[in-house]
Amino acid sequence: MKQFKVDEAFVDQLTLAEKAALVSGKDFWYTAGVQRLNVGRMMMTDGPSGLRKQEEGTDATGVNKSVTAVNFPGSALAASTFDREMMHDTGKALGTAASHEQISLLLGPGMNIKRSPLAGRNFEYFSEDPYLTGEIAAAYVRGVQEMGVGVSIKHFAANNRESQRFTNSSNMSERVLREIYLAAFEKVVVDVHPASVMVSYNAINGTLNSQNQWLLTDVLRHEWGFDGLILSDWGAVVDQVAALRAGLNLEMPGHSPESEDAVINGVKSGELSMATLNRAVLYVLKTVEKWGSTQEVSPYPMDEQHTKAREAADDGLILLKNESAMLPIKPQDRLAIVGAFANQPRYQGSGSSHVNAYQVVTPLDAARALPNDISYAPGYAIDGDDADQSMIDEAVANAQSADKVVFFAVFPESMESEGFDKTTMSLPEAQVKLLNQILSVNPHVVVVLQNGSVVEMPWADQVPAILETYLAGEAVGEATWDILSGAVNPSGKLAETFPLKLADNPTYGTFARSYSEENYHEGLFVGYRYYDVKQQPVRFAFGHGLSYTTFKYSGLKVVDQGDSVAVTFKLTNTGKRSGREAVQVYVANHASTVEMPIKTLAGFEKTTLAAGESQLVSITLPRRAFSWYDESKPGWRVDNGSYDILVGSASDDIRLQKTIWLNWAAAQDRVTLDSYINDVMDDSSLAPAAAKSGLDAVFEKLRAAGPGAAFLMNMPIRQVLTLGATDDQLSQFLKLANRSTHSKRE
Ligand code: BGC
């Protein structure tokens, strides 16, 4: 019943009670309608990897009771595709499902950054990298919304732990917040215009997000120009009047009449202005007008969607290791399949993203369709550390008489879920013990991982092949064997670093320790940004993933286009079979004199090449790839100077490199009175200015004095006056130095 025209005059027709109802949510999944004015209710439902549409009248306790829907790969795997097109297709499939189920808003994707390996909801988030997160999320949101269904991106913002998630404060500098935790949201809001943003439970620097005017109004609305609906995560509103004043539009779920009364009383007492309430009502109504479903519930092709879920998983599965030609498995290989999860796979996460899957194909089912001679032994219990001796014996005996062992190593559901954080990155002991026993009788082992977040793998050096399947969705079995058998050439890349051990992560020892505060002491150095700068060896680096073919990178060209940089290079498939490669471009900033990661991901592309084929790959790096957030003059800033452009197959496998000098910033004095003497002396391009002005006499004296003069060189150049230079010499030097450096340098 979408027959109303929303504008301010329409809002004026509403009673205060109607307005209060509209901003308070009707129940768990619906907004309130206004029957007399033909305003329908609007239903929302969880994504992000399938629909969790619940019957009317359900609440949080019915979390696993929802309509049947196709379960797509979880976000951790989705991001590993490094494939915008695939994510766009997945989004379209979800949009199709949602529109046929009469859903107006899909709640997802989750776009929070993976800061700690222990964060309980990592499976539902894309990456440790904001650029990758933003790109993948943007493609997904575009896909859903093209099918006429709105999206609510979540959880805004800095919701990086589950413990005490309703009250905890994420504490960090504005620069860190902007560059790491807000950047992906900014990208999606500005480029794709999602229907809605979901405000998270937590606080940032002491202010609850649902009451944070700076976050909701100054940044989201005004700076980024967001014109959709700002709704709360379920139960994130503590004070509805304060939330509306800060810029929230809709409290979910509604728990009328209390919320409505609070709004009505707020207006009556003058605490909440009618203008503020009207503004929130307008956003709710505009969302209903634009996205409110008018379709009847109707069937849609679920088999087709299952195939899409399989293709998406195929595109994301990551071959972490493959030695001694273990993979692909040959049709004549006799296989011992070990691990209870081959038969009862872990293919999706737990909590609000849980889907009542349409058709789960287990790895064991899919293996039975292969020509191979196969045995199966569960080997350990699904949930727990104890294993029955007879189960162990059976698995070891099977392994002993097989050519190859396919061992399923899995984080059980009880270990990771929404609502709590993990305490370890290790697999259950029973699994590790069994794996070691098997390795002692048959070293030809392929480990297949099913997990929502990174795993410690002390056994990795003993195992010749490892396949990461994360939570692969309902086509888990088919996709697993597509890769193991070689029917599909693997092309997934890790969207997060796998450290050697938990203690290597910068949040170790402090993550989720305090009930009230989470201090982001590592600042910008999240994920590979940290391991790079610490030169910390890792198990598998960000961006890593193998193929059954090989790729050669050559002929890098880097061109300054005035406000962007064009990167082109040749990619050749040098192997014997066709394959897909996710190429990655990183930028290393040498221009800015502030804390900087060694390199940051700034571009990627996924491309398919036949055996022997070459392609020219072009990637444009926008201004933002060279910018940092300057809190002292609030805004994004680019510095003139040199940047390395690094092109590679992974963050630890850079194949091509070029340096470019950018002069995009307004001319800045290169040397000021505050420039340091040692920096000036080290810069050979300043030598002529030093010679002409006479300052070189002072520099010579310092050089001749040897190490003892080091402390003198660590003084600002204005101090040369105390070392024998004159005022005239100094000002002439500054003039000459800055004249020569304002011109463009290559
Ligand atoms: C979760 C959201 C979810 C909502 C509705 C909350 O607990 O944090 O991600 O969309 O519930 O199920």
Side-chain angles (χ1 to χ4, degrees):
M1 57 161 162
K2 232 168 46 175
Q3 300 146 357
F4 55 94
K5 170 87 192 78
V6 172
D7 53 17
E8 280 161 18
F10 184 86
V11 173
D12 285 340
Q13 295 177 50
L14 297 165
T15 64
L16 178 56
E18 284 166 344
K19 291 178 187 175
L22 279 167
V23 298
S24 304
K26 173 87 185 98
D27 56 22
F28 222 72
W29 301 118
Y30 285 93
T31 54
V34 186
Q35 223 172 5
R36 70 179 183 94
L37 294 173
N38 258 341
V39 177
R41 1 172 256 170
M42 181 177 73
M43 186 178 193
M44 35 202 122
T45 207
D46 277 310
S49 48
L51 294 191
R52 188 171 70 91
K53 182 186 175 188
Q54 295 195 309
E55 295 310 327
E56 233 168 296
T58 47
D59 60 19
T61 54
V63 76
N64 289 351
K65 293 185 201 131
S66 53
V67 299
T68 303
V70 172
N71 182 220
F72 288 83
S75 298
L77 184 62
S80 309
T81 63
F82 275 67
D83 190 343
R84 296 176 185 87
E85 225 174 288
M86 183 61 77
M87 284 311 289
H88 182 231
D89 279 357
T90 302
K92 274 172 41 184
L94 284 158
T96 302
S99 73
H100 284 268
E101 288 286 1
Q102 231 180 23
I103 303 300
S104 303
L105 280 189
L106 192 66
L107 307 173
M111 296 178 51
N112 299 93
I113 296 297
K114 301 186 199 200
R115 174 176 172 259
S116 160
L118 298 182
R121 236 170 152 176
N122 278 354
F123 67 88
E124 219 178 316
Y125 297 143
F126 292 122
S127 176
E128 66 190 22
D129 181 80
Y131 175 75
L132 180 60
T133 299
E135 292 294 309
I136 290 291
Y140 171 109
V141 173
R142 205 173 269 129
V144 177
Q145 296 203 157
E146 276 170 14
M147 306 318 289
V149 173
V151 157
S152 191
I153 56 175
K154 65 192 189 184
H155 308 90
F156 188 64
N159 182 183
N160 308 101
R161 65 180 248 195
E162 292 299 285
S163 318
Q164 296 84 38
R165 64 177 165 156
F166 284 76
T167 49
N168 196 266
S169 176
S170 303
N171 299 334
M172 70 195 89
S173 72
E174 185 177 346
R175 179 174 174 214
V176 170
L177 184 60
R178 297 266 192 175
E179 291 188 24
I180 304 288
Y181 298 98
L182 294 186
F185 286 102
E186 180 182 2
K187 156 93 194 165
V188 176
V189 165
V190 172
D191 287 4
V192 196
H193 312 292
S196 166
V197 169
M198 184 192 290
V199 179
S200 57
Y201 297 117
N202 57 290
I204 294 177
N205 297 329
T207 305
L208 269 185
N209 288 358
S210 61
Q211 297 177 25
N212 190 331
Q213 171 150 6
W214 173 81
L215 185 69
L216 305 186
T217 299
D218 299 354
V219 175
L220 178 58
R221 280 275 181 237
H222 296 158
E223 239 182 78
W224 301 351
F226 179 62
D227 62 357
L229 178 71
I230 305 181
L231 58 76
S232 73
D233 196 350
W234 270 228
V237 171
V238 174
D239 177 339
Q240 167 76 320
V241 168
L244 289 168
R245 283 170 46 173
L248 191 93
N249 308 138
L250 175 63
E251 176 187 10
M252 284 304 289
H255 53 277
S256 40
E258 293 88 340
S259 321
E260 292 167 35
D261 287 349
V263 175
I264 293 168
N265 293 337
V267 172
K268 286 189 177 154
S269 70
E271 225 190 314
L272 179 66
S273 74
M274 190 59 96
T276 301
L277 177 59
N278 284 351
R279 185 188 60 195
V281 169
L282 196 62
Y283 280 116
V284 173
L285 291 177
K286 276 185 180 289
T287 309
V288 179
E289 182 184 43
K290 183 162 181 193
W291 301 103
S293 171
T294 49
Q295 230 183 295
E296 291 297 302
V297 173
S298 54
Y300 57 96
M302 291 206 187
D303 286 330
E304 228 173 77
Q305 293 222 342
H306 179 88
T307 305
K308 282 194 191 309
R310 175 179 182 169
E311 288 165 0
D314 284 346
D315 198 26
L317 259 51
I318 307 128
L319 183 59
L320 293 175
K321 184 173 177 187
N322 189 20
E323 285 173 0
S324 326
M326 273 292 290
L327 295 175
I329 279 165
K330 297 177 194 66
Q332 66 274 21
D333 286 338
R334 284 171 306 130
L335 302 179
I337 298 175
V338 175
F341 289 96
N343 197 21
Q344 281 169 268
R346 176 120 192 282
Y347 60 94
Q348 68 167 326
S350 187
S352 64
S353 68
H354 186 278
V355 171
N356 186 8
Y358 168 60
Q359 187 186 40
V360 181
V361 180
T362 73
L364 197 56
D365 291 340
R368 290 196 170 118
L370 296 171
N372 300 67
D373 178 353
I374 279 165
S375 70
Y376 165 67
Y380 53 77
I382 290 273
D383 217 339
D385 272 337
D386 300 328
D388 185 276
Q389 193 55 45
S390 63
M391 276 165 99
I392 297 174
D393 294 344
E394 184 195 12
V396 174
N398 284 1
Q400 203 156 14
S401 58
D403 295 322
K404 290 176 183 168
V405 181
V406 179
F407 185 94
F408 285 80
V410 179
F411 281 156
E413 197 171 55
S414 57
M415 259 182 85
E416 46 184 14
S417 162
E418 175 181 342
F420 60 87
D421 294 308
K422 297 170 63 175
T423 51
T424 173
M425 232 176 81
S426 306
L427 290 165
E429 235 178 271
Q431 295 185 27
V432 179
K433 246 164 71 189
L434 179 62
L435 175 60
N436 285 327
Q437 269 177 283
I438 285 178
L439 282 166
S440 68
V441 299
N442 186 344
H444 307 296
V445 175
V446 184
V447 169
V448 175
L449 293 160
Q450 292 171 356
N451 49 300
S453 54
V454 296
V455 183
E456 212 165 279
M457 299 185 224
W459 37 263
D461 290 341
Q462 280 78 57
V463 169
I466 305 173
L467 178 67
E468 173 58 84
T469 72
Y470 278 114
L471 303 179
E474 65 175 52
V476 53
E478 292 144 310
T480 300
W481 288 102
D482 284 343
I483 303 295
L484 293 180
S485 71
V488 170
N489 195 350
S491 63
K493 301 271 176 108
L494 286 180
E496 61 187 324
T497 311
F498 277 51
L500 285 171
K501 57 184 190 308
L502 183 59
D504 293 344
N505 182 271
T507 68
Y508 180 73
T510 59
F511 177 72
R513 289 303 293 260
S514 152
Y515 262 45
S516 51
E517 318 265 335
E518 181 71 29
N519 294 317
Y520 288 45
H521 51 80
E522 74 289 352
L524 299 171
F525 299 95
V526 177
Y528 68 86
R529 287 163 168 78
Y530 175 79
Y531 302 115
D532 267 5
V533 80
K534 292 292 282 188
Q535 300 179 5
Q536 179 86 50
V538 297
R539 180 69 67 194
F540 297 111
F542 176 85
H544 168 78
L546 304 173
S547 166
Y548 295 143
T549 188
T550 45
F551 296 96
K552 182 172 163 230
Y553 291 64
S554 61
L556 174 62
K557 288 205 182 68
V558 172
V559 179
D560 176 0
Q561 305 188 124
D563 205 34
S564 63
V565 170
V567 177
T568 49
F569 58 94
K570 193 164 114 182
L571 184 71
T572 306
N573 181 344
T574 48
K576 291 198 175 60
R577 58 173 296 175
S578 94
R580 313 196 69 208
E581 171 76 331
V583 301
Q584 297 153 44
V585 181
Y586 296 84
V587 169
N589 177 339
H590 301 295
S592 305
T593 50
V594 288
E595 277 179 14
M596 267 305 157
I598 301 288
K599 62 178 183 295
T600 52
L601 183 72
F604 64 87
E605 215 49 72
K606 188 143 185 183
T607 180
T608 309
L609 283 104
E613 190 189 343
S614 290
Q615 262 176 28
L616 199 64
V617 180
S618 304
I619 293 176
T620 301
L621 307 181
R623 188 181 180 89
R624 181 59 72 87
F626 304 91
S627 310
W628 60 279
Y629 193 82
D630 185 357
E631 290 178 42
S632 69
K633 300 182 200 82
W636 293 92
R637 166 172 165 174
V638 179
D639 294 311
N640 293 338
S642 81
Y643 296 82
D644 292 337
I645 308 297
L646 313 165
V647 176
S649 175
S651 68
D652 66 343
D653 185 9
I654 299 301
R655 308 282 184 90
L656 304 168
Q657 174 164 353
K658 265 210 156 58
T659 303
I660 189 165
W661 183 283
L662 299 179
N663 253 340
W664 294 351
Q668 297 154 342
D669 277 346
R670 179 139 150 257
V671 185
T672 68
L673 286 173
D674 284 341
S675 299
Y676 274 75
I677 295 174
N678 46 10
D679 290 336
V680 170
M681 287 172 64
D682 283 351
D683 188 339
S684 58
S685 70
L686 295 174
K692 212 151 176 200
S693 61
L695 272 201
D696 60 350
V698 176
F699 295 168
E700 270 323 304
K701 229 168 40 185
L702 289 170
R703 276 193 194 102
F711 81 100
L712 295 174
M713 293 191 231
N714 192 23
M715 298 196 301
I717 193 95
R718 54 186 144 80
Q719 292 299 107
V720 290
L721 301 181
T722 63
L723 300 171
T726 64
D727 266 334
D728 279 354
Q729 285 176 321
L730 179 56
S731 51
Q732 199 195 357
F733 171 73
L734 290 178
K735 217 184 292 157
L736 291 169
N738 290 322
R739 187 188 305 155
S740 65
T741 55
H742 278 181
S743 58
K744 189 171 157 79
R745 292 170 30 147
E746 290 304 328

